[in-house]
Amino acid sequence: MTGTTALSRARTVRYTTIVVALAAIVTVSAVRIVTGADRLTTPGTLRQALIAACPILLAGLGGLWAERAGIVNIGLEGQMLLGTWGAAFFAYHHGWLAGIVGAAVMGLIGGLVHAIATVSFGVDHIISGVALNIIGLGAVGFLAKSYFDELSGGGPRNLSGYPTPPTLTIPGISDGARSLADQHWFVVSDVSAAVAGATTNLSILTILTLALALLTAWALWRTSFGLRLRSCGENPQAAETLGVNVYLYKYVAVLVSGAFAGLGGAYLTMVSSSSFTVGQTNGRGYIGLASMIFGNWRPSGVLTGALMFGYADGISLLPKNGPLVHALLLLVAVFLLAYSVFKFRAGELTTAIVVAVIALGALVWYFTTTRVPSAFTGMTPYVITLFVISVASQRLRMPAADGKPYRRGSAG
Amino acid sequence: MTIEVELAGIGKRFPGVIANHDVSLRIRPGTVHALIGENGAGKSTLMKILYGVQPADEGTISVDGQHRSFASPTDAIEVGIGMVFQHFMLADNLTVLENIVLGAEKLHGIGDGARTRIKEISARFGFGLEPDQLVERLGVADRQRVEILKVLYRGAELIILDEPTAVLVPQEVDALFSNLRELVADGCSVLFISHKLDEVLAIADDITVMRRGTTVGTADPRTATKHQLAELMVGSELPSPETSERTVTDQVVLALDGVTVTDDLGRDRLTDVSLAVHRGEVVGIAGVEGNGQTELVEVVMGMLRAASGRITLDGQDITRLSTRKVRELGVGFVPEDRHRHGLVLDFPLWENRILGHQTKPPVVKGPLLNPAGARTDARRIVEEFDVRTPGIGTTARALSGGNQQKFIVGREMSGDPILLIASHPTRGVDVGAQAAIWDHVRAARREGLGVLLVSADLDELIGLSDRIEVVLRGRLTGTFDPSQVTAQDLGAAMTGGSAA
């Protein structure tokens, strides 16, 4: 009996996910038509969103690797920073491929420091991670000044003029989708805009990022390597009694985590922009961590979270985005109202009322103004992060031994 | 496919403690071998050595006549030794299948091959487990079966079970034993660690007794009696809970008058309970668990609020007082779950001494804590109450259950209480500590304390109490004189069979 219920539960979850995704697309489309803010879903906007989402996704996946093995990696930001420098340095001297590898290696070194501190010496994960972030920022400033100041196209805090990964446009699909998107039809145009955005001037690094998301899901859930790694995050003592080398798996997880964050840094210096500056990450490591929590420590969830945060991030980077963020207010209000109704039906009255009040506030703001002042639009991704995490953090299930110290021989 | 395992001269030291010395043990193939001993006798350490979790300092392990040394559980698994820990080693958020194949992925993969094999073993021994169920949805008995299946899946021929019945209800124990008999019939050997003598006599083929870190003898379960085994375990005459002269006075120390407690859903947990405890009197509360004993204790302690009725302590109304006020008025409390209520396990003993007394000297001085005073007094408790610990700086977690309980009793008897509430004071405690705790309860009674004793151990109730009240579905349904009543009578009254 239990096996079939587990199966049917999985089926219900999948069904619900599809329905929710469809409903979200329809709502976005409806809001676009009601507000007349067509730029909400043009191919350009969505391409920008995808580009903004990738570094967040890489950081989120990095966090996922570490936390699934029970190590909180709040040092993602610092590892990303190291990655930005590594990408610029190696790409400048040895080409874009070396840049990508160099960024991963720099991030991996950051991960190694974190792993030595937390796994071998049992330092508190948060303290080690915060230290790593500070070290990362300082080290990148120092390295940039030492190595980039004298280069042509370089300065004490920046570098440009290095090769970036090639892009490719998928002919046929890209043009067709683009012309459909230009019609501004309900739903159809929004979906084709997404297709067009994802097939035009697509960087190799974007493809690599999405492939890494798939690889993560496969490696962690479909292989015995992944099972062992996850067991270290759920109950390392149990894993130890079954002959799993817990230290080894934790090390591997944190190293992979650092490498992913480093790649996230490479994405920022090589795809999001074509120049390096110190402190380029701007908190994306933390947003990546937020997307991992929002995604309930699962790759598909991390992807969803990263796309959502990326969208907000992308919009905040567009020029003249006052009316756009204004239209976003209506969208947020609609989503929050839907969530409130859902909570009300689940019997959580207090939550429902609080969410409904916030939704009404957004509605009032929407109807009493015509644009959001530019001082606020840059805050969009951070405000959305805050909201989503506070709303979504109620039914999350983190790995049971996440962040807990583990010593060999403590079983039984 | 059976193996013969022999341990010889095993020794193991931890800082400040000799856990094992000169331990010898031989497990015959195809038998259930019971290893018995008090809590803290070194049984668990020995098992960890045999399973490769910790290395031995001296001594040898031989399997089928060949010397072996196990650097990790992997080595032990390889020669066919598997262990089920007292505290289950399962990851809640993984499925049954994932928990089982973890570390043994090479055997049958992690997919359908493993699934088939698990279903096969589960069916053969009647475990009834579903491979794709999440472990967090399973009950205790099922989790234990997952643990055993985990061991069988790896082809273990010797299965070590560390106090497997501690977490089970009687029906589940029967089911476990029938599982074990099938395993033995199938050619496995079982090493069964316990301090419950009835169970050991029921299941074992051979018995080895441990005391204070070493093996002190063997026994044949066909001829040995419970009494003999217990004396081997304790090393001296068995104590009994008999009390001597009456010390009951007519001074009421605790009185409940028509107390009713209702839960969140408005149902009565206690209905119209009236009860008096006098100075120098032990009042025993007998009842099947869940009939309101917990609520009775908690309402007196101020942990629950009475919906109606009045509670007085030495004439003073305490019905609406907070737990701290109640304790300040002189109530000592030995809670039923010492890990949840009695101790902060990761605090050292002297800090645990302060808990519950944080407003009274000697552990406070003015508005501040007095660590020196707390240390001195903790040392006094350790000595007077024979708490076996390397020192008062040791965390409570490091002590065995019996020593933890003795420390709690010592703390609760500090500060001149007038009433002692003891909830299952000897539950999960070994024979030696049990005797000590009984002595302390008797001493308390002699000193003129009122004692409210809640217990599921009927011999304990009959032996210690001056009067026994039976609680059934939240009501006091009968009063018994312990000198007249038998355990059978009480049992009948507790289940509502007949009331006197």
Side-chain angles (χ1 to χ4, degrees), chain B residues 107 150 366:
Chain B
L107 290 177
K150 203 158 99 177

Side-chain angles (χ1 to χ4, degrees), chain A residues 67-111:
Chain A
E67 300 218 355
R68 276 290 169 186
I71 303 286
V72 175
N73 188 359
I74 207 174
L76 286 170
E77 179 82 3
Q79 291 149 359
M80 271 181 109
L81 279 169
L82 290 171
T84 60
W85 181 87
F89 179 82
F90 289 101
Y92 191 93
H93 293 292
H94 308 287
W96 61 268
L97 193 58
I100 292 177
V101 174
V105 169
M106 287 300 288
L108 190 133
I109 291 172

Side-chain angles (χ1 to χ4, degrees), chain B residues 130-452:
Chain B
E130 279 293 338
D132 292 306
Q133 182 89 331
L134 270 188
V135 165
E136 69 177 349
R137 293 179 199 282
L138 298 181
V140 176
D142 275 335
R143 283 172 192 235
Q144 191 166 54
R145 284 186 203 114
V146 176
E147 285 279 21
I148 296 175
L149 216 164
K150 203 158 99 177
V151 170
L152 292 174
Y153 185 82
R154 288 162 169 70
E157 290 156 31
L158 170 64
I159 302 172
I160 307 169
L161 295 163
D162 190 2
E163 306 215 5
T165 59
V167 289
L168 301 179
V169 301
Q171 292 81 351
E172 291 170 337
V173 172
D174 293 342
L176 171 71
F177 282 2
S178 75
N179 288 153
L180 292 186
R181 284 192 191 100
E182 280 180 50
L183 288 176
V184 171
D186 220 52
C188 290
S189 321
V190 174
L191 182 55
F192 183 92
I193 302 171
S194 183
H195 58 242
K196 295 187 183 166
L197 302 175
D198 291 326
E199 293 171 2
V200 167
L201 288 172
I203 188 81
D205 298 309
D206 294 306
I207 299 176
T208 299
V209 184
M210 279 188 83
R211 183 169 78 229
R212 296 212 168 198
T214 188
T215 42
V216 292
T218 56
D220 183 344
R222 278 162 302 183
T223 54
T225 66
K226 230 178 113 177
H227 199 81
Q228 291 166 338
L229 287 181
E231 284 186 1
L232 261 178
M233 271 167 69
V234 185
S236 59
E237 280 290 301
L238 245 211
S240 77
E242 307 296 310
T243 40
S244 42
E245 78 289 10
R246 272 177 79 82
T247 55
V248 184
T249 63
D250 54 1
Q251 262 179 298
V252 175
V253 54
L254 174 75
L256 282 82
D257 186 18
V259 172
T260 298
V261 174
T262 54
D263 64 12
D264 295 340
L265 301 170
R267 289 177 306 207
D268 275 8
R269 306 297 302 187
L270 272 187
T271 312
D272 195 23
V273 169
S274 296
L275 176 74
V277 180
H278 300 87
R279 282 189 180 276
E281 180 184 39
V282 177
V283 176
I285 304 290
V288 177
E289 212 133 313
N291 273 286
Q293 303 92 316
T294 311
E295 286 78 7
L296 176 63
V297 167
E298 293 192 349
V299 78
V300 174
M301 287 309 297
M303 295 159 76
L304 283 178
R305 285 273 161 265
S308 63
R310 219 169 97 90
I311 306 170
T312 55
L313 180 72
D314 217 10
Q316 189 179 349
D317 191 339
I318 60 164
T319 320
R320 306 241 153 247
L321 291 190
S322 68
T323 306
R324 196 186 78 201
K325 287 269 192 286
V326 171
R327 293 182 63 99
E328 280 173 5
L329 288 171
V331 181
F333 175 40
V334 180
E336 63 176 80
D337 184 341
R338 54 182 168 266
H339 291 177
R340 272 182 65 217
H341 287 139
L343 295 167
V344 177
L345 290 176
D346 290 311
F347 278 9
L349 289 182
W350 67 269
E351 283 191 338
N352 272 299
R353 165 64 184 85
I354 299 174
L355 299 176
H357 294 269
Q358 59 273 37
T359 52
K360 279 187 286 188
V363 299
V364 287
K365 200 187 252 169
L368 297 177
L369 292 179
N370 178 7
R375 282 205 184 86
T376 315
D377 207 58
R379 233 170 261 131
R380 174 188 64 81
I381 293 174
V382 166
E383 262 169 44
E384 278 180 25
F385 290 79
D386 188 30
V387 181
R388 304 216 180 118
T389 167
I392 54 159
T394 310
T395 57
R397 190 186 294 281
L399 268 56
S400 69
N403 285 313
Q404 289 174 351
Q405 192 74 330
K406 283 191 276 187
F407 188 82
I408 292 179
V409 172
R411 178 183 71 195
E412 296 308 318
M413 294 296 290
S414 310
D416 296 324
I418 54 173
L419 174 71
L420 178 68
I421 298 179
S423 224
H424 305 283
T426 59
R427 174 180 284 178
V429 159
D430 54 81
V431 188
Q434 188 178 39
I437 290 167
W438 284 337
D439 277 342
H440 293 303
V441 171
R442 262 180 239 125
R445 170 174 170 275
R446 238 186 350 264
E447 284 161 24
L449 270 77
V451 179
L452 186 63

Side-chain angles (χ1 to χ4, degrees), chain A residues 55-56 59-60 73-74 76-78 80 281-290:
Chain A
I56 296 173
N73 188 359
I74 207 174
L76 286 170
E77 179 82 3
M80 271 181 109
T281 54
N282 250 331
R284 281 185 184 78
Y286 299 113
I287 296 185
L289 214 54

